[in-house]
Amino acid sequence: MEKALLVTVDLGKREGWTAEERSHELAELAASAGAKVTREEIVNRHGICPATFVGKGKVEELSGICKAGKINIVIFNSDLTATQQKNLEEALAVKTIDRTQLILDIFARRAHSNEGKIQVELAQLMYMLPRLTGKGIELSRLGGGIGTRGPGEQKLEVDRRKIRARMFKLTKDLKGLSKRRTMMRNNRERFSSLSIAIIGYTNAGKSTLLNSLTASKVIVEDRLFSTLDPTARKFILPNNQKVLFIDTVGFLDRLPHHLIEAFKATLEEVVEADLLLHVVDISHPKAYEEVAAVHRVLDELGVKGKSIITALNKIDKVQDKGLIDKALGDFNNTVAISALKREGFEELIKKVSHYIAKSVVRISLKLPVTDTKTLNIIHQNGFVGKTEYEDDFVNIEAELPAKVADLLKKILDI
Ligand SMILES: Nc1nc2c(ncn2[C@@H]2O[C@H](COP(=O)(O)OP(=O)(O)OP(=O)(O)O)[C@@H](O)[C@H]2O)c(=O)[nH]1
Ligand SMILES: [Mg+2]
């Protein structure tokens, strides 16, 4: 296990996260990447030093800490320039990475699907390419471990020319996969149910909620970024309407832009969903900041005008019930739940049904009894009401997702 020293610079801005809180989150990220955090340093500065980020005197001090504590890796809580990274590695004589590299490393470890792996590697290479100047990133490549692995534990390429060729190939592969995915989704959308994307800050309890609701077994862990690939599970609402709940990758404050770019394909599930279910860990001291961070990522993804239900999760962990009451009033469309203890589900499903009902329409059709294809579509996607047979025809009344109804109208030309 690599012994890590974390360095957070405090520029004295007193809004949102404090330096200590940011350091705490970095420690959780480092642990998720398999490091043992042996020391957290907070450095107070008025501005950033262009050469070494923290200034010469501090670098000497950090160097002493590294030697004394037999540190293997220094992780800075901000993005470093190529020059800063190179200077720091030289002065500290220890592999030095920044927050983005750490997050990319976690994603590299967690990527399982083909598409996930390609997206992560692409994000890693996009991050590295402009930094490969002279001896920049190379020192850190020697040792292996955090910051050096690609998806599937293979080592990252560090040769510029090869990186460019690899990026070209990955982009092409991704386009192919994305096309197939869109086709699959179109099929699903046409002849399947409405979708509800479960979104939220990492570790908020999204996968736990999906598991509890749909009796599935998505991996749940008390670490950041357990889920990378979206998982869809069927659920039947009390009115018999079928819906799909989709578990997605967690969001994070200051999520590296390269990652959002690279993960756009996966996150299409969010953009395309009929309804968003935003899971918030209300027991977390930074719950409100996490909510704000999630909304920033949604903005960056271009998600606009979608209905969002906010589920305040982990209420079983909150002692002060006044906090929950306050949060219920502070956000729109809220419901308090415990995904783990299955509390508040009735209210949650009621809310979901309410929003889904808005995207459901009532239709009456007269169809030839031989048109089993259309009848199947109606039965599989909607709730069938009155059915009357009349000679070779059937009069059918049904509630269908608006988009399925639209498609049927197109097919039947009505
Ligand atoms: N006490 C309590 N713990 C919960 C609840 N819901 C989830 N947890 C715990 O929170 C941790 C994270 O849960 P996950 O379901 O993996 O969270 P996630 O949002 O899917 O996380 P990522 O996939 O990493 O983004 C696990 O240790 C869960 O057991 C809850 O209602 N109460
Ligand atoms: Mg998860």
Side-chain angles (χ1 to χ4, degrees):
M1 207 183 248
E2 289 175 85
K3 284 167 93 181
L5 161 66
L6 310 185
V7 183
T8 301
V9 169
D10 187 355
L11 291 170
K13 291 192 193 118
R14 281 279 161 252
E15 70 250 19
W17 309 74
T18 64
E20 285 76 15
E21 286 160 347
R22 287 204 290 124
S23 180
H24 181 72
E25 184 166 88
L26 188 69
E28 281 181 28
L29 286 167
S32 287
K36 184 174 162 31
V37 176
T38 52
R39 182 138 174 184
E40 295 179 43
E41 278 284 305
I42 310 271
V43 183
N44 293 298
R45 281 190 67 92
H46 295 300
I48 297 304
C49 166
T52 59
F53 202 73
V54 287
K56 207 165 162 242
K58 196 72 200 179
V59 171
E60 274 163 25
E61 201 183 307
L62 293 177
S63 168
I65 295 173
C66 286
K67 277 199 196 83
K70 297 205 166 59
I71 299 288
N72 314 101
I73 182 166
V74 182
I75 307 172
F76 278 76
N77 207 347
S78 322
D79 279 341
L80 299 173
T81 63
T83 315
Q84 286 163 346
Q85 184 166 23
K86 172 173 168 278
N87 291 342
L88 283 163
E89 280 199 334
E90 265 170 19
L92 301 173
V94 172
K95 177 168 69 179
T96 305
I97 66 168
D98 61 19
R99 183 173 179 270
T100 296
Q101 265 176 295
L102 176 65
I103 294 168
L104 288 171
D105 193 277
I106 298 172
F107 273 68
R109 289 179 146 221
R110 304 280 192 276
H112 294 302
S113 73
N114 217 349
E115 190 170 23
K117 283 183 185 166
I118 296 176
Q119 293 179 123
V120 172
E121 194 181 346
L122 198 57
Q124 285 181 310
L125 298 179
M126 283 197 296
Y127 173 86
M128 273 174 59
L129 194 60
R131 287 178 169 75
L132 284 177
T133 48
K135 256 172 48 182
I137 239 157
E138 280 164 42
L139 179 60
S140 61
R141 300 297 140 215
L142 292 177
I146 297 170
T148 68
R149 40 181 173 237
E153 300 288 311
Q154 93 245 22
K155 263 196 133 191
L156 273 177
E157 187 54 67
V158 288
D159 180 319
R160 246 169 200 284
R161 211 165 37 94
K162 285 192 193 150
I163 287 186
R164 284 224 177 79
R166 180 93 184 131
M167 281 172 80
F168 184 74
K169 183 185 178 300
L170 292 175
T171 311
K172 214 172 104 209
D173 290 354
L174 203 56
K175 276 205 187 114
L177 280 174
S178 177
K179 218 158 139 194
R180 248 188 39 214
R181 201 186 168 78
T182 311
M183 265 163 52
M184 267 163 59
R185 191 174 38 241
N186 279 346
N187 278 337
R188 200 172 76 198
E189 232 165 45
R190 282 177 182 201
F191 301 121
S192 175
S193 344
L194 295 153
S195 65
I196 301 154
I198 305 179
I199 58 156
Y201 211 76
T202 182
N203 215 38
K206 300 176 293 298
S207 302
T208 307
L209 181 61
L210 182 84
N211 288 345
S212 292
L213 281 174
T214 66
S216 17
K217 292 197 174 62
V218 175
I219 294 174
V220 166
E221 268 167 310
D222 192 9
R223 62 172 192 190
L224 308 187
F225 298 117
S226 300
T227 311
L228 280 200
D229 299 318
T231 312
R233 290 281 180 271
K234 244 192 229 159
F235 184 85
I236 317 268
L237 293 175
N239 69 352
N240 270 333
Q241 172 70 50
K242 286 191 196 95
V243 290
L244 278 179
F245 278 101
I246 304 170
D247 185 18
T248 54
V249 56
F251 295 172
L252 188 77
D253 184 43
R254 298 182 292 141
L255 198 59
H257 183 71
H258 294 319
L259 261 183
I260 298 186
E261 262 313 302
F263 266 73
K264 279 231 160 107
T266 296
L267 289 166
E268 266 169 33
E269 299 282 357
V270 174
V271 182
E272 305 280 330
D274 296 283
L275 175 68
L276 301 183
L277 178 53
H278 179 182
V279 180
V280 178
D281 176 357
I282 199 62
S283 74
H284 197 283
K286 303 309 284 180
Y288 280 64
E289 281 75 12
E290 293 188 351
V291 169
V294 167
H295 283 284
R296 279 196 295 275
V297 178
L298 288 179
D299 281 347
E300 194 162 344
L301 288 171
V303 175
K304 272 189 234 99
K306 253 187 219 308
S307 302
I308 304 183
I309 296 173
T310 305
L312 308 173
N313 189 31
K314 307 197 189 179
I315 52 166
D316 57 293
K317 267 174 88 178
V318 180
Q319 306 294 335
D320 177 7
K321 298 298 171 204
L323 260 177
I324 298 168
D325 288 339
K326 181 173 179 315
L328 282 170
D330 286 341
F331 305 114
N332 290 328
N333 293 326
T334 39
V335 47
I337 63 164
S338 165
L340 197 65
K341 303 256 152 79
R342 297 163 188 265
E343 281 167 38
F345 279 17
E346 208 174 311
E347 181 66 24
L348 173 67
I349 294 304
K350 220 161 103 188
K351 275 225 152 55
V352 169
S353 304
H354 172 78
Y355 277 96
I356 287 297
K358 288 189 185 168
S359 16
V360 169
V361 292
R362 212 167 231 292
I363 55 162
S364 343
L365 290 173
K366 183 173 184 162
L367 295 170
V369 283
T370 48
D371 189 359
T372 47
K373 198 173 156 210
T374 308
L375 286 166
N376 269 341
I377 293 174
I378 297 172
H379 277 279
Q380 274 169 17
N381 294 285
F383 177 59
V384 177
K386 210 160 71 185
T387 313
E388 278 171 359
Y389 290 90
E390 192 186 314
D391 303 324
D392 292 337
F393 288 89
V394 53
N395 289 308
I396 189 166
E397 278 182 15
E399 284 175 0
L400 283 177
K403 55 191 176 189
V404 178
D406 284 346
L407 195 90
L408 271 189
K409 282 181 190 159
K410 246 186 236 155
I411 295 175
L412 299 171
D413 204 15
I414 49 175

